[in-house]
Amino acid sequence: MGHRVCVVGAGVVGLSSAVCIQEKVPGIQVTVLSEKFSPHTTSDGAAGFWEPHILSDTPQELVRRWGDETWDHLKTLYLSPVAVDVGVMLLSGYHLHKQPQQDPTWASKVFGFRHLTKQDLQQFPGFSSGWFSTHLLCEGKKYLPWLMTKFKKAGGKVQQGKVTSLTELADHYDVVVNCCGIGARELVGDSTVKPVRGQVYRVHAPWIKCFFDAEYDGHDFYIFPCANNVVLGGTAQKGNWNLSPHPTDSKDIWEGCCQLVPSLRNCKVDHEWVGLRPSRPVVRLERETVGRGASSLEVVHNYGHGGAGITIHWGCAQQVASLVQEALSLQQLKPKL
């Protein structure tokens, strides 16, 4: 019997890790264990707009590498016949600024990055500069079911349940991969993990064809058209655990987005949604030996991605697969009965 690996968590980070492990480490049995599955994960509510950004103290070279590898993966999917099923699409649009900004690190990776001209800016009164670019967007509510199907077809097993301690899995698995996001605060006692609350609208506005991202009045407002609706956002409230839409946030988001695109005042609201981004001073992606002797357990941690889960997920998953391979090789673990 081959080695057994358990991935805890079934969001985009967990499922992509499970798939990459299957692809990179032959002859092993991978199980995904989670309390929640799609469509009830934070990843399901995300717009899925690819754009690397600063993740606290995480080294920028790592964020860039993970983001580049994820971009290449999503681009391959976009150029394949399964793009519609996966939920990957191209989306062009505008970043708008009150003051000139330094070009972003991702400028050379996206398609057609350019600075807005004075004529372009006539569309957006009050903004003095900006960029136009074409990005990839990956909708979690389609992508997660696709990853799950891929995982199961490759022989992956799925188990629903709540894990209270990683050590309780030691008798059943050779390696455990911790992808529990905000749950790491409780599961492994990581008090540095904190929520960054995001609230958005999903509206019906089929005339919106471009994305808009602008910061003014101390808020970041964004508009992302997806396959079946348009995301209007948003908030980034650190330390806020409230999973219910707040009327003040609703009003601010609505007014801010309607100021950007006035025609949105005539759109139909589908629903509001709130998710908690799992923030951490540094993304935790590392191998750890928990316990000692015969009862020790090899753990690979992969959590703390904040609002960049979809943007860097595949690059992180590739590294997870290498760490799992390393753990099995260096420790020369024996299969559990």
Side-chain angles (χ1 to χ4, degrees), residues 162-201:
K162 181 177 176 62
V163 179
T164 58
S165 172
L166 293 180
T167 55
E168 70 188 55
L169 304 172
D171 292 336
H172 307 286
Y173 301 99
D174 300 297
V175 181
V176 171
V177 183
N178 173 20
C179 301
C180 62
I182 198 75
R185 184 177 175 89
E186 179 182 350
L187 181 60
V188 295
D190 190 343
S191 61
T192 69
V193 177
K194 299 184 185 301
V196 176
R197 181 179 175 275
Q199 179 174 324
V200 299
Y201 280 100

mmCIF file of all heavy atoms in Angstrom, residues 162-201:
data_model
loop_
_atom_site.group_PDB
_atom_site.id
_atom_site.type_symbol
_atom_site.label_atom_id
_atom_site.label_comp_id
_atom_site.label_asym_id
_atom_site.label_seq_id
_atom_site.Cartn_x
_atom_site.Cartn_y
_atom_site.Cartn_z
ATOM 1 N N LYS A 162 -14.782 17.742 11.113
ATOM 2 C CA LYS A 162 -14.042 18.825 11.750
ATOM 3 C C LYS A 162 -12.827 18.250 12.465
ATOM 4 O O LYS A 162 -12.942 17.315 13.260
ATOM 5 C CB LYS A 162 -14.928 19.577 12.740
ATOM 6 C CG LYS A 162 -14.232 20.758 13.430
ATOM 7 C CD LYS A 162 -15.198 21.490 14.347
ATOM 8 C CE LYS A 162 -14.517 22.609 15.111
ATOM 9 N NZ LYS A 162 -13.979 23.653 14.222
ATOM 10 N N VAL A 163 -11.663 18.804 12.169
ATOM 11 C CA VAL A 163 -10.423 18.385 12.812
ATOM 12 C C VAL A 163 -10.132 19.352 13.958
ATOM 13 O O VAL A 163 -10.128 20.572 13.770
ATOM 14 C CB VAL A 163 -9.244 18.395 11.814
ATOM 15 C CG1 VAL A 163 -7.961 17.965 12.513
ATOM 16 C CG2 VAL A 163 -9.549 17.479 10.631
ATOM 17 N N THR A 164 -9.904 18.821 15.142
ATOM 18 C CA THR A 164 -9.606 19.667 16.297
ATOM 19 C C THR A 164 -8.114 19.706 16.610
ATOM 20 O O THR A 164 -7.644 20.598 17.306
ATOM 21 C CB THR A 164 -10.381 19.193 17.543
ATOM 22 O OG1 THR A 164 -10.038 17.833 17.808
ATOM 23 C CG2 THR A 164 -11.887 19.301 17.305
ATOM 24 N N SER A 165 -7.379 18.724 16.096
ATOM 25 C CA SER A 165 -5.926 18.679 16.292
ATOM 26 C C SER A 165 -5.312 17.863 15.165
ATOM 27 O O SER A 165 -5.814 16.788 14.828
ATOM 28 C CB SER A 165 -5.580 18.052 17.642
ATOM 29 O OG SER A 165 -4.186 17.839 17.740
ATOM 30 N N LEU A 166 -4.226 18.361 14.597
ATOM 31 C CA LEU A 166 -3.576 17.639 13.509
ATOM 32 C C LEU A 166 -3.029 16.295 13.986
ATOM 33 O O LEU A 166 -2.958 15.332 13.211
ATOM 34 C CB LEU A 166 -2.444 18.483 12.910
ATOM 35 C CG LEU A 166 -2.876 19.761 12.177
ATOM 36 C CD1 LEU A 166 -1.652 20.497 11.649
ATOM 37 C CD2 LEU A 166 -3.838 19.442 11.034
ATOM 38 N N THR A 167 -2.651 16.212 15.261
ATOM 39 C CA THR A 167 -2.079 14.972 15.773
ATOM 40 C C THR A 167 -3.080 13.825 15.784
ATOM 41 O O THR A 167 -2.680 12.655 15.792
ATOM 42 C CB THR A 167 -1.522 15.177 17.193
ATOM 43 O OG1 THR A 167 -2.558 15.698 18.042
ATOM 44 C CG2 THR A 167 -0.344 16.151 17.178
ATOM 45 N N GLU A 168 -4.374 14.133 15.740
ATOM 46 C CA GLU A 168 -5.370 13.064 15.714
ATOM 47 C C GLU A 168 -5.345 12.314 14.381
ATOM 48 O O GLU A 168 -5.928 11.229 14.251
ATOM 49 C CB GLU A 168 -6.775 13.626 15.969
ATOM 50 C CG GLU A 168 -7.343 14.462 14.843
ATOM 51 C CD GLU A 168 -8.647 15.158 15.209
ATOM 52 O OE1 GLU A 168 -8.686 15.899 16.217
ATOM 53 O OE2 GLU A 168 -9.630 14.949 14.481
ATOM 54 N N LEU A 169 -4.635 12.877 13.398
ATOM 55 C CA LEU A 169 -4.534 12.248 12.085
ATOM 56 C C LEU A 169 -3.269 11.403 11.943
ATOM 57 O O LEU A 169 -3.069 10.736 10.930
ATOM 58 C CB LEU A 169 -4.555 13.313 10.989
ATOM 59 C CG LEU A 169 -5.760 14.256 10.981
ATOM 60 C CD1 LEU A 169 -5.558 15.370 9.965
ATOM 61 C CD2 LEU A 169 -7.037 13.485 10.686
ATOM 62 N N ALA A 170 -2.413 11.419 12.967
ATOM 63 C CA ALA A 170 -1.094 10.782 12.875
ATOM 64 C C ALA A 170 -1.170 9.275 12.636
ATOM 65 O O ALA A 170 -0.308 8.711 11.951
ATOM 66 C CB ALA A 170 -0.287 11.072 14.135
ATOM 67 N N ASP A 171 -2.183 8.612 13.172
ATOM 68 C CA ASP A 171 -2.285 7.163 13.013
ATOM 69 C C ASP A 171 -2.828 6.749 11.651
ATOM 70 O O ASP A 171 -2.818 5.558 11.329
ATOM 71 C CB ASP A 171 -3.193 6.578 14.112
ATOM 72 C CG ASP A 171 -2.568 6.680 15.495
ATOM 73 O OD1 ASP A 171 -1.322 6.756 15.565
ATOM 74 O OD2 ASP A 171 -3.318 6.694 16.482
ATOM 75 N N HIS A 172 -3.291 7.725 10.883
ATOM 76 C CA HIS A 172 -3.949 7.385 9.620
ATOM 77 C C HIS A 172 -3.207 7.870 8.380
ATOM 78 O O HIS A 172 -3.441 7.370 7.277
ATOM 79 C CB HIS A 172 -5.359 7.976 9.608
ATOM 80 C CG HIS A 172 -6.178 7.606 10.808
ATOM 81 N ND1 HIS A 172 -6.718 6.347 10.989
ATOM 82 C CD2 HIS A 172 -6.520 8.324 11.914
ATOM 83 C CE1 HIS A 172 -7.374 6.304 12.128
ATOM 84 N NE2 HIS A 172 -7.279 7.495 12.718
ATOM 85 N N TYR A 173 -2.312 8.860 8.542
ATOM 86 C CA TYR A 173 -1.655 9.460 7.378
ATOM 87 C C TYR A 173 -0.169 9.660 7.638
ATOM 88 O O TYR A 173 0.264 9.854 8.770
ATOM 89 C CB TYR A 173 -2.304 10.807 7.039
ATOM 90 C CG TYR A 173 -3.773 10.701 6.730
ATOM 91 C CD1 TYR A 173 -4.737 11.009 7.707
ATOM 92 C CD2 TYR A 173 -4.218 10.274 5.479
ATOM 93 C CE1 TYR A 173 -6.087 10.901 7.442
ATOM 94 C CE2 TYR A 173 -5.575 10.154 5.205
ATOM 95 C CZ TYR A 173 -6.497 10.470 6.182
ATOM 96 O OH TYR A 173 -7.839 10.358 5.915
ATOM 97 N N ASP A 174 0.605 9.626 6.561
ATOM 98 C CA ASP A 174 2.038 9.861 6.643
ATOM 99 C C ASP A 174 2.367 11.347 6.636
ATOM 100 O O ASP A 174 3.319 11.786 7.275
ATOM 101 C CB ASP A 174 2.740 9.184 5.456
ATOM 102 C CG ASP A 174 2.506 7.683 5.461
ATOM 103 O OD1 ASP A 174 2.939 7.018 6.408
ATOM 104 O OD2 ASP A 174 1.870 7.181 4.508
ATOM 105 N N VAL A 175 1.585 12.110 5.879
ATOM 106 C CA VAL A 175 1.772 13.560 5.798
ATOM 107 C C VAL A 175 0.407 14.230 5.827
ATOM 108 O O VAL A 175 -0.535 13.773 5.167
ATOM 109 C CB VAL A 175 2.517 13.985 4.508
ATOM 110 C CG1 VAL A 175 2.702 15.511 4.473
ATOM 111 C CG2 VAL A 175 3.876 13.294 4.414
ATOM 112 N N VAL A 176 0.305 15.318 6.580
ATOM 113 C CA VAL A 176 -0.916 16.119 6.609
ATOM 114 C C VAL A 176 -0.584 17.505 6.067
ATOM 115 O O VAL A 176 0.422 18.108 6.457
ATOM 116 C CB VAL A 176 -1.489 16.235 8.038
ATOM 117 C CG1 VAL A 176 -2.625 17.257 8.087
ATOM 118 C CG2 VAL A 176 -1.987 14.878 8.522
ATOM 119 N N VAL A 177 -1.422 18.002 5.162
ATOM 120 C CA VAL A 177 -1.242 19.331 4.580
ATOM 121 C C VAL A 177 -2.316 20.244 5.149
ATOM 122 O O VAL A 177 -3.516 20.003 4.964
ATOM 123 C CB VAL A 177 -1.331 19.288 3.037
ATOM 124 C CG1 VAL A 177 -1.073 20.674 2.455
ATOM 125 C CG2 VAL A 177 -0.326 18.277 2.475
ATOM 126 N N ASN A 178 -1.887 21.274 5.849
ATOM 127 C CA ASN A 178 -2.801 22.171 6.552
ATOM 128 C C ASN A 178 -3.165 23.364 5.658
ATOM 129 O O ASN A 178 -2.392 24.297 5.497
ATOM 130 C CB ASN A 178 -2.136 22.647 7.848
ATOM 131 C CG ASN A 178 -2.930 23.720 8.557
ATOM 132 O OD1 ASN A 178 -4.127 23.887 8.326
ATOM 133 N ND2 ASN A 178 -2.269 24.469 9.423
ATOM 134 N N CYS A 179 -4.362 23.319 5.097
ATOM 135 C CA CYS A 179 -4.862 24.390 4.220
ATOM 136 C C CYS A 179 -6.182 24.921 4.763
ATOM 137 O O CYS A 179 -7.145 25.135 4.010
ATOM 138 C CB CYS A 179 -5.068 23.876 2.798
ATOM 139 S SG CYS A 179 -3.600 23.204 2.001
ATOM 140 N N CYS A 180 -6.238 25.127 6.073
ATOM 141 C CA CYS A 180 -7.528 25.459 6.692
ATOM 142 C C CYS A 180 -7.782 26.955 6.805
ATOM 143 O O CYS A 180 -8.745 27.371 7.453
ATOM 144 C CB CYS A 180 -7.649 24.786 8.054
ATOM 145 S SG CYS A 180 -6.427 25.315 9.245
ATOM 146 N N GLY A 181 -6.931 27.779 6.186
ATOM 147 C CA GLY A 181 -7.211 29.203 6.120
ATOM 148 C C GLY A 181 -7.386 29.849 7.486
ATOM 149 O O GLY A 181 -6.557 29.695 8.385
ATOM 150 N N ILE A 182 -8.496 30.557 7.660
ATOM 151 C CA ILE A 182 -8.763 31.259 8.915
ATOM 152 C C ILE A 182 -8.858 30.280 10.084
ATOM 153 O O ILE A 182 -8.635 30.639 11.240
ATOM 154 C CB ILE A 182 -10.071 32.099 8.792
ATOM 155 C CG1 ILE A 182 -10.135 33.163 9.889
ATOM 156 C CG2 ILE A 182 -11.296 31.210 8.800
ATOM 157 C CD1 ILE A 182 -9.226 34.323 9.645
ATOM 158 N N GLY A 183 -9.150 29.012 9.772
ATOM 159 C CA GLY A 183 -9.264 27.989 10.807
ATOM 160 C C GLY A 183 -7.951 27.646 11.472
ATOM 161 O O GLY A 183 -7.934 27.007 12.531
ATOM 162 N N ALA A 184 -6.819 28.076 10.883
ATOM 163 C CA ALA A 184 -5.508 27.790 11.480
ATOM 164 C C ALA A 184 -5.342 28.481 12.820
ATOM 165 O O ALA A 184 -4.553 28.039 13.663
ATOM 166 C CB ALA A 184 -4.400 28.224 10.520
ATOM 167 N N ARG A 185 -6.079 29.536 13.017
ATOM 168 C CA ARG A 185 -6.004 30.250 14.296
ATOM 169 C C ARG A 185 -6.375 29.316 15.450
ATOM 170 O O ARG A 185 -5.732 29.324 16.508
ATOM 171 C CB ARG A 185 -6.944 31.465 14.262
ATOM 172 C CG ARG A 185 -6.874 32.334 15.508
ATOM 173 C CD ARG A 185 -7.786 33.548 15.371
ATOM 174 N NE ARG A 185 -7.805 34.323 16.599
ATOM 175 C CZ ARG A 185 -6.957 35.306 16.879
ATOM 176 N NH1 ARG A 185 -6.051 35.644 15.992
ATOM 177 N NH2 ARG A 185 -7.024 35.956 18.014
ATOM 178 N N GLU A 186 -7.388 28.504 15.222
ATOM 179 C CA GLU A 186 -7.839 27.566 16.251
ATOM 180 C C GLU A 186 -7.133 26.223 16.142
ATOM 181 O O GLU A 186 -6.692 25.657 17.154
ATOM 182 C CB GLU A 186 -9.356 27.357 16.125
ATOM 183 C CG GLU A 186 -9.939 26.378 17.131
ATOM 184 C CD GLU A 186 -11.431 26.163 16.945
ATOM 185 O OE1 GLU A 186 -12.047 26.911 16.156
ATOM 186 O OE2 GLU A 186 -11.973 25.248 17.585
ATOM 187 N N LEU A 187 -6.978 25.717 14.924
ATOM 188 C CA LEU A 187 -6.457 24.364 14.735
ATOM 189 C C LEU A 187 -5.013 24.216 15.184
ATOM 190 O O LEU A 187 -4.651 23.226 15.829
ATOM 191 C CB LEU A 187 -6.588 23.952 13.266
ATOM 192 C CG LEU A 187 -6.097 22.548 12.916
ATOM 193 C CD1 LEU A 187 -6.874 21.492 13.695
ATOM 194 C CD2 LEU A 187 -6.225 22.289 11.415
ATOM 195 N N VAL A 188 -4.166 25.176 14.851
ATOM 196 C CA VAL A 188 -2.755 25.074 15.233
ATOM 197 C C VAL A 188 -2.331 26.194 16.186
ATOM 198 O O VAL A 188 -1.146 26.428 16.405
ATOM 199 C CB VAL A 188 -1.837 25.060 13.983
ATOM 200 C CG1 VAL A 188 -2.087 23.822 13.163
ATOM 201 C CG2 VAL A 188 -2.017 26.311 13.135
ATOM 202 N N GLY A 189 -3.327 26.921 16.726
ATOM 203 C CA GLY A 189 -3.040 27.950 17.717
ATOM 204 C C GLY A 189 -2.236 29.119 17.184
ATOM 205 O O GLY A 189 -1.438 29.719 17.914
ATOM 206 N N ASP A 190 -2.456 29.463 15.917
ATOM 207 C CA ASP A 190 -1.705 30.554 15.294
ATOM 208 C C ASP A 190 -2.476 31.865 15.475
ATOM 209 O O ASP A 190 -3.366 32.203 14.691
ATOM 210 C CB ASP A 190 -1.503 30.265 13.811
ATOM 211 C CG ASP A 190 -0.532 31.240 13.154
ATOM 212 O OD1 ASP A 190 -0.282 32.312 13.744
ATOM 213 O OD2 ASP A 190 -0.040 30.941 12.049
ATOM 214 N N SER A 191 -2.100 32.603 16.516
ATOM 215 C CA SER A 191 -2.814 33.844 16.835
ATOM 216 C C SER A 191 -2.499 34.972 15.862
ATOM 217 O O SER A 191 -3.150 36.025 15.905
ATOM 218 C CB SER A 191 -2.474 34.292 18.264
ATOM 219 O OG SER A 191 -1.074 34.537 18.384
ATOM 220 N N THR A 192 -1.511 34.773 14.987
ATOM 221 C CA THR A 192 -1.194 35.814 13.994
ATOM 222 C C THR A 192 -2.178 35.804 12.831
ATOM 223 O O THR A 192 -2.200 36.740 12.036
ATOM 224 C CB THR A 192 0.238 35.643 13.448
ATOM 225 O OG1 THR A 192 0.314 34.457 12.645
ATOM 226 C CG2 THR A 192 1.249 35.576 14.564
ATOM 227 N N VAL A 193 -2.974 34.738 12.716
ATOM 228 C CA VAL A 193 -3.992 34.671 11.663
ATOM 229 C C VAL A 193 -5.185 35.514 12.082
ATOM 230 O O VAL A 193 -5.756 35.305 13.158
ATOM 231 C CB VAL A 193 -4.448 33.214 11.412
ATOM 232 C CG1 VAL A 193 -5.556 33.173 10.362
ATOM 233 C CG2 VAL A 193 -3.263 32.365 10.972
ATOM 234 N N LYS A 194 -5.537 36.466 11.245
ATOM 235 C CA LYS A 194 -6.662 37.353 11.556
ATOM 236 C C LYS A 194 -7.546 37.519 10.317
ATOM 237 O O LYS A 194 -7.050 37.492 9.191
ATOM 238 C CB LYS A 194 -6.158 38.719 12.019
ATOM 239 C CG LYS A 194 -5.293 38.657 13.287
ATOM 240 C CD LYS A 194 -4.897 40.026 13.766
ATOM 241 C CE LYS A 194 -3.935 39.941 14.947
ATOM 242 N NZ LYS A 194 -4.515 39.222 16.085
ATOM 243 N N PRO A 195 -8.835 37.717 10.527
ATOM 244 C CA PRO A 195 -9.725 37.911 9.385
ATOM 245 C C PRO A 195 -9.599 39.311 8.803
ATOM 246 O O PRO A 195 -9.371 40.278 9.525
ATOM 247 C CB PRO A 195 -11.118 37.703 9.993
ATOM 248 C CG PRO A 195 -10.965 38.179 11.411
ATOM 249 C CD PRO A 195 -9.568 37.768 11.814
ATOM 250 N N VAL A 196 -9.723 39.394 7.504
ATOM 251 C CA VAL A 196 -9.906 40.677 6.821
ATOM 252 C C VAL A 196 -11.254 40.568 6.110
ATOM 253 O O VAL A 196 -11.382 39.885 5.097
ATOM 254 C CB VAL A 196 -8.773 40.986 5.826
ATOM 255 C CG1 VAL A 196 -9.070 42.283 5.078
ATOM 256 C CG2 VAL A 196 -7.436 41.092 6.548
ATOM 257 N N ARG A 197 -12.238 41.219 6.686
ATOM 258 C CA ARG A 197 -13.618 41.044 6.225
ATOM 259 C C ARG A 197 -13.870 41.713 4.878
ATOM 260 O O ARG A 197 -13.562 42.888 4.678
ATOM 261 C CB ARG A 197 -14.572 41.625 7.276
ATOM 262 C CG ARG A 197 -16.051 41.495 6.953
ATOM 263 C CD ARG A 197 -16.890 42.094 8.074
ATOM 264 N NE ARG A 197 -18.305 42.080 7.744
ATOM 265 C CZ ARG A 197 -18.912 43.028 7.035
ATOM 266 N NH1 ARG A 197 -18.205 44.074 6.609
ATOM 267 N NH2 ARG A 197 -20.197 42.949 6.762
ATOM 268 N N GLY A 198 -14.431 40.935 3.963
ATOM 269 C CA GLY A 198 -14.789 41.465 2.657
ATOM 270 C C GLY A 198 -16.285 41.358 2.409
ATOM 271 O O GLY A 198 -16.872 40.285 2.575
ATOM 272 N N GLN A 199 -16.915 42.484 2.074
ATOM 273 C CA GLN A 199 -18.345 42.500 1.768
ATOM 274 C C GLN A 199 -18.542 42.975 0.343
ATOM 275 O O GLN A 199 -17.902 43.950 -0.089
ATOM 276 C CB GLN A 199 -19.095 43.420 2.729
ATOM 277 C CG GLN A 199 -20.604 43.512 2.454
ATOM 278 C CD GLN A 199 -21.346 44.310 3.514
ATOM 279 O OE1 GLN A 199 -21.005 44.256 4.689
ATOM 280 N NE2 GLN A 199 -22.371 45.050 3.101
ATOM 281 N N VAL A 200 -19.396 42.295 -0.405
ATOM 282 C CA VAL A 200 -19.650 42.659 -1.805
ATOM 283 C C VAL A 200 -21.131 42.508 -2.145
ATOM 284 O O VAL A 200 -21.887 41.840 -1.435
ATOM 285 C CB VAL A 200 -18.829 41.778 -2.783
ATOM 286 C CG1 VAL A 200 -17.333 41.927 -2.555
ATOM 287 C CG2 VAL A 200 -19.247 40.308 -2.697
ATOM 288 N N TYR A 201 -21.503 43.142 -3.238
ATOM 289 C CA TYR A 201 -22.780 42.893 -3.894
ATOM 290 C C TYR A 201 -22.527 41.981 -5.092
ATOM 291 O O TYR A 201 -21.459 42.031 -5.712
ATOM 292 C CB TYR A 201 -23.369 44.187 -4.459
ATOM 293 C CG TYR A 201 -24.085 45.094 -3.506
ATOM 294 C CD1 TYR A 201 -23.450 46.211 -2.983
ATOM 295 C CD2 TYR A 201 -25.429 44.876 -3.169
ATOM 296 C CE1 TYR A 201 -24.120 47.091 -2.136
ATOM 297 C CE2 TYR A 201 -26.109 45.747 -2.328
ATOM 298 C CZ TYR A 201 -25.453 46.850 -1.816
ATOM 299 O OH TYR A 201 -26.116 47.716 -0.986
#
